[in-house]
Amino acid sequence: MSKPMEGRIALVTGASRGIGRASAIALAAAGAHVILVARTVGGLEETDDEIRKNGGSATLVPVNLRDFDAIDRLGASIHERWGRLDAFLGNAGVLGQLTPLAHMEPKTFTEVMDVNVIANWRLIRSLDPLLRASDAGRVLFVTSGAARKHTAYWGAYALSKSALEILALTYAVECEPTSIKVNLINPGPMRTLMRRKAMPGEDPESLVKPEEMAFKVVEMLSPSYALNETIINFRK
């Protein structure tokens, strides 16, 4: 079996469930040692159990991405242990509250921006030297079709994903002189907890499972992937 990530070090945020969990398991199966980042220890342990059951390896990092100092420490710890980072999947995100903008609680709006935008900027800031130390650093952020729509009640989430796209694409341009490639992937409707929260009346059986997209994540984080500054729509 081909292992395109053999010997690579990959970091996945939101690795305790959904797209992050499925992608982390797939990256490990492809040969990567995966740094699993999420808030819940139990969820991380379940992902780790699945990885080890399949013969892979992982390092668990329970951290709240709103703890920005912890993000800085994460980069320092990776440097101390491995000296580089080959792949980074920025997957963690929160939906917030689907409500008119004028009715949204400031703390909810702030949380959405902190997790979906600012944490990813802090991760770029912390991980950039490590990605530059790789022979083929690969970065992939998970976006949403909401970023390019103006749908009532989705304001905070849509704004955060739009900002994330600008953040990622700007970083991609800045990385052009290096061996780093930076892209985004839009999963489309997918069977996740966030989707169920947003669309409670939807039949989950009609949706694609995160595991079905994991192969694309592995492909886009592999050293052979040459595209840069692109947004891939998994479900067209």
Side-chain angles (χ1 to χ4, degrees):
M1 177 180 168
S2 173
K3 292 198 171 186
M5 299 294 290
E6 187 72 53
R8 314 297 284 179
I9 308 298
L11 185 150
V12 177
T13 63
S16 62
R17 64 184 184 222
I19 293 170
R21 170 185 162 86
S23 298
I25 293 169
L27 286 164
H33 178 85
V34 187
I35 302 167
L36 307 174
V37 177
R39 288 179 298 176
T40 56
V41 175
L44 287 175
E45 290 176 342
E46 289 176 3
T47 304
D48 183 48
D49 287 344
E50 192 66 25
I51 287 173
R52 294 184 184 280
K53 185 172 71 176
N54 296 329
S57 64
T59 296
L60 280 60
V61 182
V63 64
N64 186 330
L65 290 179
R66 299 185 76 188
D67 183 348
F68 301 138
D69 290 338
I71 292 176
D72 292 343
R73 293 194 296 270
L74 175 60
S77 296
I78 295 171
H79 174 74
E80 183 177 345
R81 182 168 176 182
W82 293 287
R84 74 180 202 281
L85 182 68
D86 301 302
F88 163 42
L89 175 62
N91 161 73
V94 295
L95 178 64
Q97 186 181 13
L98 300 183
T99 189
L101 286 169
H103 297 173
M104 182 170 291
E105 291 289 333
K107 65 179 182 181
T108 301
F109 187 87
T110 299
E111 179 189 16
V112 173
M113 295 303 144
D114 281 352
V115 176
N116 297 1
V117 185
I118 297 176
N120 282 306
W121 166 66
R122 295 295 294 247
L123 283 158
I124 288 173
R125 183 173 175 272
S126 181
L127 303 177
D128 177 71
L130 300 164
L131 291 161
R132 290 174 184 268
S134 171
D135 60 345
R138 297 291 178 263
V139 178
L140 182 61
F141 291 101
V142 177
T143 185
S144 166
R148 291 170 297 283
K149 295 179 182 178
H150 311 118
T151 306
Y153 315 130
W154 284 73
Y157 182 75
L159 174 61
S160 72
K161 287 300 184 179
S162 181
L164 174 65
E165 290 189 358
I166 296 298
L167 178 76
L169 295 174
T170 301
Y171 183 48
V173 174
E174 293 172 352
C175 288
E176 282 180 354
T178 77
S179 62
I180 301 172
K181 305 296 183 186
V182 184
N183 298 288
L184 296 115
I185 188 166
N186 172 21
M190 192 156 286
R191 198 182 306 178
T192 63
L193 183 61
M194 183 184 291
R195 179 75 184 187
R196 188 162 73 243
K197 180 180 177 183
M199 304 289 187
E202 192 172 53
D203 178 10
E205 295 300 320
S206 67
L207 303 175
V208 172
K209 295 179 181 179
E211 289 77 10
E212 296 180 50
M213 192 183 79
F215 80 91
K216 189 64 177 179
V217 172
V218 172
E219 176 190 336
M220 296 180 74
L221 291 177
S222 298
S224 61
Y225 196 77
L227 293 182
N228 187 53
E229 198 186 346
T230 62
I231 301 175
I232 302 297
N233 293 308
F234 179 67
R235 294 192 69 187
K236 297 181 180 179

